[in-house]
Amino acid sequence: MMQFSTTPNAEFNEEIQGALRFECEKLTGKSEDYKSHTIYLLEGDLINAGVIVEVHGAILWIDSIYVVESRRRQGLAKELIRQVMEYARAVGARELQLNTFFPDAFQIFVKLEFEVVAVIPNWKYGLTCHMMRRSI
């Protein structure tokens, strides 16, 4: 008899991740950990913005980017992307990629010279997802 559980199981989660890495390696011939790297924008002791990225070979995936609300519209996202590009060059990436379903973020990425490569209407929460990239 089948049963289902929502109780977290770290051991099985590792098995899932290992299987995904194995399949990716089988298809690409590349073994990767997909290590994440975080860059924070500090002003004094305050962290006012941050970005989490993952290295996927020649692609640097922007997983999350955030600017505290009181510091938005002041160019901090642009500065974060500049730092991300420096990091990408240092690790040998040729392209930045991301997706966003937030309209304000989409406009920022367009201004920062990201191009739309795919659009998924009615994605999460009924919002449109824009998959974007930018050459380095």
Side-chain angles (χ1 to χ4, degrees):
M1 175 174 157
M2 278 196 281
Q3 295 180 3
F4 297 91
S5 172
T6 58
T7 303
N9 184 308
E11 185 177 307
F12 195 75
N13 288 353
E14 286 180 32
E15 185 174 337
I16 292 169
Q17 292 300 317
L20 292 172
R21 283 190 295 276
F22 174 78
E23 287 299 317
C24 187
E25 184 176 352
K26 190 167 67 171
L27 292 170
T28 66
K30 297 180 183 191
S31 175
E32 296 190 46
D33 262 355
Y34 307 117
K35 295 188 187 213
S36 95
H37 180 74
T38 307
I39 301 170
Y40 301 106
L41 190 148
L42 301 166
E43 294 177 299
D45 291 338
L46 296 175
I47 299 174
N48 283 319
V51 60
I52 301 170
V53 299
E54 294 178 351
V55 179
H56 294 267
I59 304 299
L60 191 73
W61 177 260
I62 298 174
D63 184 64
S64 303
I65 186 168
Y66 175 75
V67 176
V68 297
E69 194 167 342
S70 64
R71 295 291 281 130
R72 292 181 185 168
R73 302 191 192 297
Q74 298 175 24
L76 300 187
K78 180 179 180 179
E79 293 304 318
L80 275 176
I81 294 299
R82 188 178 315 197
Q83 291 299 312
V84 166
M85 290 184 69
E86 285 184 29
Y87 176 73
R89 287 183 193 101
V91 298
R94 295 187 319 257
E95 183 172 277
L96 303 179
Q97 292 183 2
L98 60 87
N99 66 27
T100 186
F101 53 96
F102 299 123
D104 289 346
F106 172 74
Q107 293 302 322
I108 290 167
F109 292 124
V110 168
K111 287 179 186 175
L112 294 174
E113 301 176 5
F114 282 78
E115 67 174 308
V116 176
V117 293
V119 177
I120 305 170
N122 298 313
W123 192 55
K124 289 182 179 180
Y125 316 110
L127 299 170
T128 297
C129 174
H130 294 92
M131 300 182 82
M132 305 178 83
R133 71 177 174 202
R134 176 183 172 172
S135 296
I136 296 173

